[in-house]
Amino acid sequence: MGKGDVKLLGLWASPFALRVRFALELKCVDYENLEENFGGGKSELLLKSNPVYKEVPVLLHGDKPICESLIIVQYIDEVWTDGPSILPSDPYDRAIARFWAAYVDDMAYPYMRAIITADGEEAREEAIAKLKESLVVLEDAFVQSSKGKPFFGGDEIGYVDIALGASMEWSKVIEKAFDVKLFDEETTPNLLTWIDAFLAHPAIKDIMPTTDKLFEYAMNFISPPSTKAAATEAY
Amino acid sequence: MASTKKEEVKLIGFWSSPYSRKVEIALQLKGIKYQYLEEHDLKNNKSPELLKYNPVHKKVPVLIHNGRPVVESLVILEYIDETWTQEPALLPSDPYERAMVRFWCKFIDDKFSPAVRKYLSLGPETDGENARTEAQECLKFLENELKGKKYFGGETIGMIDIVAIGLAFWQRTLQEITDKDLMNKQDFPLLCAWAEELLSCSVISDNLPPKDKFISLIRSRREAAAATSK
């Protein structure tokens, strides 16, 4: 299969779709960005391409669909090999990167979602506490993985940077919407520096939605209590 | 190609854990020699080794290769395949095929297994129709994946077969104990044939928990759960 004809089915606000866009940008891949509009129902193309989950993102390479954001990122890394590597080359380092990306998916993201969709203050406080605990674990992971360099991947953005970094504007939205500090100098000083470096990276900064734009979008479903379903769909 | 440098491979596991057994199957398929360390009391008294090598999750399995730990079964399986490159390959070499293998493995762990477990753990007095439908929807996806193939990996056992092993033993045994109709020959002929094929391979059957001991364990857990919910 040739490298041409790449399409991405995504949602501009979805951190999962953003992960894929970052990987494509890092590899300088030409692609067509197809924006789903869930307000109008899921497109035929999405339902056909991802019958199991019916969710974005889906990468369409030729006529072949690839689903699940981190699986797509690994696919991009394995197909476009003349760009910078997203995963390290050593099998043990790859295992560590995969472990921390899975941790982000299994711990950080569900807690972020739980904060946004929480039914009541108590549930929200609990989710915030759990997210903060997981960010302290990730602070330690960053120190060990980066070895003094700016990113989890070292000198360059890598797999874990993409996995976690895609949700950093959402974390700012959470901080603003609920008047809470998720990152601070005391518990996550290195992650604070990392966030700035990540968001300033040329492959990231022009694609990542601004905090204001995301905040405005989030306000459609965070405040009113009746739209928990909409919130779950959007994040 | 055989490695000439000293290789020390250890695995911390638990006899009834499907995740632990999956890693053992992979190691044995590749002919890798390892020292097995059984966790005796995962619930109340985790070993210092487990806490040292998996401080984040404190769970089995933990592969320790030359003193360095690898945890999470899917991560371990890929690590095994990338480190010991002899046959059989657990993942194919084509990037698209690899993405498909990863997708189905994640599906089995994240969506399929919880759906099946949920249905099989419902008590007899609960209306399990929705849960059963959800579990069977998941089974249908896997049944479709097997079309025209002996194993998910094609002619040889691959990573999906290993990750799906729960179906051939753990979930199957639970089905028997609970007398629930979930994976039957009529609706899922390919999956049933696949399970039989797997169980006829000694590397698989030698690495399954002893059935009677497993049934006793499940029965005692269910009794304990029923007692605490009264």
Side-chain angles (χ1 to χ4, degrees):
Chain A
M1 173 160 56
K3 291 178 181 175
D5 195 19
V6 182
K7 296 184 174 72
L8 172 64
L9 293 178
L11 266 178
W12 68 272
S14 159
F16 303 104
L18 281 169
R19 286 170 169 178
V20 177
R21 292 190 68 188
F22 295 153
L24 291 167
E25 284 296 314
L26 278 166
K27 298 281 195 174
C28 302
V29 176
D30 279 323
Y31 66 100
E32 192 184 345
N33 195 33
L34 299 172
E35 189 72 14
E36 279 286 315
N37 176 8
F38 283 176
K42 296 182 183 185
S43 71
E44 273 304 308
L45 183 58
L46 177 62
L47 296 175
K48 185 181 113 176
S49 309
N50 191 354
V52 176
Y53 296 106
K54 307 176 180 53
E55 277 170 14
V56 295
V58 179
L59 190 78
L60 293 160
H61 191 190
D63 57 355
K64 293 192 168 160
I66 301 106
C67 308
E68 295 293 279
S69 62
L70 291 180
I71 292 175
I72 301 171
V73 170
Q74 289 188 80
Y75 174 79
I76 290 167
D77 201 32
E78 290 176 7
V79 170
W80 286 275
T81 52
D82 43 1
S85 285
I86 293 172
L87 272 146
S89 51
D90 174 73
Y92 187 74
D93 295 335
R94 290 160 77 83
I96 298 299
R98 286 183 177 127
F99 172 81
W100 287 117
Y103 182 88
V104 168
D105 262 4
D106 294 343
M107 307 292 262
Y109 274 60
Y111 292 141
M112 285 191 191
R113 179 177 279 207
I115 294 167
I116 292 163
T117 61
D119 220 351
E121 209 42 51
E122 203 180 314
R124 184 159 284 139
E125 295 289 321
E126 200 186 315
I128 288 171
K130 288 215 152 84
L131 176 61
K132 285 171 88 162
E133 271 173 33
S134 73
L135 292 174
V136 170
V137 175
L138 285 165
E139 163 81 10
D140 196 44
F142 175 77
V143 170
Q144 288 180 45
S145 302
S146 63
K147 298 184 180 63
K149 305 269 172 79
F151 301 109
F152 281 91
D155 285 315
E156 275 307 322
I157 281 181
Y159 192 59
V160 183
D161 299 282
I162 291 174
L164 180 62
S167 68
M168 285 304 98
E169 284 297 343
W170 270 106
S171 73
K172 291 186 181 189
V173 166
I174 288 171
E175 290 186 329
K176 187 172 171 179
F178 306 111
D179 193 27
V180 65
K181 280 243 148 282
L182 297 175
F183 297 91
D184 60 61
E185 278 299 334
E186 197 187 313
T187 57
T188 57
N190 293 285
L191 282 180
L192 272 175
T193 314
W194 166 77
I195 291 170
D196 289 341
F198 181 81
L199 293 177
H201 192 284
I204 308 300
K205 68 181 171 49
D206 295 331
I207 302 174
M208 184 71 105
T210 61
T211 321
D212 288 344
K213 194 177 172 194
L214 257 184
F215 184 79
E216 194 188 320
Y217 170 77
M219 284 303 107
N220 288 324
F221 52 85
I222 283 185
S223 310
S226 60
T227 50
K228 184 174 169 168
T232 314
E233 191 92 295
Y235 181 86
Chain B
M1 185 170 69
S3 169
T4 50
K5 68 174 199 279
K6 180 170 169 279
E7 283 251 283
E8 190 189 60
V9 184
K10 294 182 186 176
L11 176 68
I12 305 177
F14 188 70
W15 69 273
S16 69
S17 159
Y19 302 100
S20 172
R21 293 286 182 166
K22 289 173 200 184
V23 173
E24 287 203 84
I25 287 166
L27 288 168
Q28 291 186 26
L29 273 170
K30 294 265 195 185
I32 299 159
K33 298 266 179 292
Y34 63 98
Q35 183 192 1
Y36 178 75
L37 303 166
E38 172 79 4
E39 274 294 305
H40 295 291
D41 188 356
L42 260 180
K43 206 172 156 193
N44 299 313
N45 193 16
K46 295 178 186 190
S47 74
E49 286 78 22
L50 180 61
L51 298 175
K52 174 184 167 187
Y53 288 114
N54 191 0
V56 175
H57 297 303
K58 307 177 179 57
K59 285 183 191 173
V60 296
V62 180
L63 185 78
I64 306 160
H65 183 204
N66 293 334
R68 298 196 299 183
V70 183
V71 306
E72 294 293 283
S73 60
L74 295 185
V75 176
I76 298 173
L77 291 174
E78 287 220 42
Y79 175 77
I80 288 172
D81 204 39
E82 289 176 359
T83 304
W84 292 280
T85 53
Q86 66 269 34
E87 294 287 308
L90 301 182
L91 279 124
S93 52
D94 173 72
Y96 180 72
E97 299 301 321
R98 291 163 74 79
M100 290 302 103
V101 167
R102 288 175 179 137
F103 176 85
W104 289 114
C105 289
K106 194 163 191 290
F107 168 77
I108 290 164
D109 267 9
D110 290 356
K111 191 170 158 108
F112 172 83
S113 295
V116 169
R117 209 164 31 236
K118 181 178 163 190
Y119 172 60
L120 293 177
S121 67
L122 290 175
E125 66 288 346
T126 316
D127 176 10
E129 210 39 54
N130 284 343
R132 182 170 183 266
T133 305
E134 196 189 327
Q136 291 206 313
E137 288 295 318
C138 288
L139 277 165
K140 278 182 203 154
F141 282 119
L142 291 183
E143 177 82 4
N144 255 352
E145 253 322 280
L146 266 178
K147 283 205 169 88
K149 295 193 283 194
K150 184 174 167 187
Y151 301 111
F152 288 101
E155 281 304 303
T156 53
I157 290 171
M159 188 163 154
I160 305 176
D161 300 280
I162 297 173
V163 173
I165 207 94
L167 254 183
F169 178 81
W170 283 262
Q171 282 139 7
R172 203 183 207 192
T173 310
L174 264 176
Q175 235 183 243
E176 284 171 27
I177 296 173
T178 57
D179 197 26
K180 283 188 170 154
D181 172 34
L182 185 63
M183 187 171 107
N184 57 63
K185 278 202 175 104
Q186 191 183 340
D187 297 328
F188 305 103
L190 299 177
L191 276 172
C192 289
W194 163 84
E196 292 304 323
E197 190 63 54
L198 269 191
L199 293 174
S200 72
C201 299
S202 60
V203 73
I204 305 289
S205 57
D206 287 351
N207 281 302
L208 297 175
K211 194 165 180 181
D212 292 344
K213 191 178 174 190
F214 182 69
I215 290 177
S216 288
L217 176 71
I218 297 301
R219 288 216 159 104
S220 65
R221 278 183 187 166
R222 288 166 75 84
E223 278 158 25
T228 50
S229 68
K230 283 198 179 100

